[in-house]
Amino acid sequence: MARRFTPDLRWSDVTPKADFLNRRQIIAGVAALGLAGPAAAKLGYVPSALSTDEKPNTLEEITNYNNFYEFGTDKGDPAARAGALTVDPWSVEIDGMVGRPGSYGLADILSGVTLEERIYRLRCVEAWSMVVPWIGFPLSDLLARVEVQPSARYVAFETLLRPEEMHGQRGGLLDWPYREGLRLDEATHPLTILATGLYGEAMPKQNGAPIRLVVPWKYGFKSIKSIVRISLTDRQPPTTWNMMQPNEYGFFANVNPEVDHPRWSQATERRIGEGLFAGRHPTVKFNGYGDQVAALYAGQDLAKDY
Ligand code: MTE
């Protein structure tokens, strides 16, 4: 995948004027984060050389076409309903095979961290994709600080369980809380980030405020939102979609046009925002990040380990 260093790329350069203006209204709805001061405070960050050079989707698209089943199953539900979520105060429990377990406040997690803008594609298992200018930092930074023990082999993540605010959790659609996991070498890969914002602002609630995972070479369901727990373990952890439909959703979930979902092809994708008549794009293995990540799976049969 082509990459470029984008020192001068600002959201206003890549966002149509209407969205630029509309953005202010959307940002007004973004919750105040203690660490960032007022709701609309810009996050300081540096651009990352790991970005794709593709044109990002607009903020409007990124914040109005979402999967966040805690707020409903329609793509518009998270934008309509995630406003109910309280994201300040927020803490993340880090436990299991670590030298420094504990409950870490968000400000704690972000202290000393350099936030980077990483323009990554999110490629959903339902065969649509978006390019998002995330703001985040490598998960490996956090894991190093909590001193992962040598016996640890996997990282498990959990989303907040709060049915009073996440009305989707009042029903039994999924086995709440939403859970995901990565093998430790995947979790510590430099492309794997914890994102706390996008388009230079604190994370919109519908996108997983205040902190979520982004693993760009995997299908979007791996990129768990609104994380409250990170556990280090020596066993492959149970994960929400895999528990629900193991033949459809594997633990690895690497983007792979050669392995179809049992109910639809994964060979092409629709780019959100291109319109109904735009052609589909061929899906690239590992979402285009093969040069960086294929070595993680040397010797593994990815048709079996899907
Ligand atoms: N995390 C939680 N907690 N709940 C969810 O329903 N959906 C996943 C992922 N993370 C989901 C989640 C799926 S299927 C996708 S495609 C992405 O979030 C969508 O991220 P976006 O809405 O920011 O584009």
Side-chain angles (χ1 to χ4, degrees):
M1 168 177 284
R3 265 166 299 284
R4 65 172 181 203
F5 187 60
T6 52
D8 299 312
L9 185 71
R10 292 209 310 261
W11 61 268
S12 51
D13 299 331
V14 294
T15 309
K17 182 84 172 172
D19 296 312
F20 179 99
L21 297 172
N22 193 18
R23 175 176 158 278
R24 293 176 185 284
Q25 290 150 21
I26 296 169
I27 296 302
V30 172
L33 283 173
L35 62 124
K42 250 199 175 309
L43 304 175
Y45 61 89
V46 297
S48 168
L50 295 167
S51 290
T52 170
D53 61 1
E54 289 169 88
K55 183 172 178 277
N57 281 87
T58 64
L59 185 70
E60 182 77 10
E61 288 157 1
I62 293 167
T63 54
N64 286 285
Y65 192 88
N66 301 99
N67 275 338
F68 200 168
Y69 277 25
E70 285 83 341
F71 296 104
T73 53
D74 286 349
K75 304 300 180 204
D77 285 344
R81 294 168 168 170
L85 180 65
T86 310
V87 297
D88 180 20
W90 193 273
S91 56
V92 180
E93 184 78 27
I94 305 184
D95 59 12
M97 296 172 161
V98 290
R100 307 182 62 187
S103 177
Y104 292 85
L106 197 58
D108 233 8
I109 290 174
L110 293 183
S111 75
V113 160
T114 305
L115 291 175
E116 295 173 22
E117 182 181 60
R118 303 275 193 102
I119 305 177
Y120 282 168
R121 169 183 300 277
L122 192 84
R123 201 289 189 190
C124 185
V125 77
E126 295 159 84
W128 50 263
S129 67
M130 283 196 228
V131 176
V132 182
W134 303 106
I135 306 296
F137 64 95
L139 173 61
S140 61
D141 286 6
L142 179 63
L143 294 179
R145 278 188 283 150
V146 296
E147 296 169 9
V148 174
Q149 294 170 351
S151 47
R153 291 192 52 222
Y154 292 91
V155 187
F157 305 87
E158 265 179 39
T159 293
L160 176 72
L161 181 66
R162 192 184 286 159
E164 315 87 83
E165 293 182 358
M166 298 172 132
H167 85 109
Q169 291 179 336
R170 295 175 210 163
L173 181 67
L174 295 178
D175 181 5
W176 312 109
Y178 194 101
R179 273 163 280 181
E180 258 310 332
L182 296 171
R183 212 169 53 193
L184 191 58
D185 59 343
E186 301 177 317
T188 53
H189 191 282
L191 287 174
T192 301
I193 58 170
L194 284 172
T196 56
L198 52 82
Y199 269 120
E201 306 285 349
M203 189 68 78
K205 292 182 181 180
Q206 59 266 46
N207 293 90
I211 187 163
R212 68 170 290 171
L213 190 68
V214 180
V215 194
W217 71 95
K218 293 176 179 283
Y219 290 116
F221 69 89
K222 298 296 288 182
S223 292
I224 181 172
K225 296 177 169 180
S226 305
I227 296 170
V228 292
R229 188 171 176 203
I230 299 178
S231 309
L232 278 289
T233 147
D234 57 358
R235 302 221 181 115
Q236 184 176 303
T239 56
T240 296
W241 286 101
N242 180 247
M243 285 189 287
M244 170 118 157
Q245 288 289 358
N247 64 323
E248 298 190 5
Y249 309 103
F251 176 81
F252 288 97
N254 294 316
V255 172
N256 191 347
E258 297 149 27
V259 177
D260 285 334
H261 184 281
R263 291 184 279 136
W264 53 77
S265 167
Q266 300 275 35
T268 63
E269 63 200 54
R270 179 172 68 90
R271 173 80 177 272
I272 299 302
E274 284 188 345
L276 282 178
F277 302 107
R280 297 178 69 87
H281 298 260
T283 290
V284 183
K285 195 166 182 179
F286 297 117
N287 214 10
Y289 295 95
D291 287 351
Q292 291 104 307
V293 301
L296 296 175
Y297 308 100
Q300 252 179 288
D301 176 358
L302 295 181
K304 203 168 120 274
D305 293 342
Y306 55 92

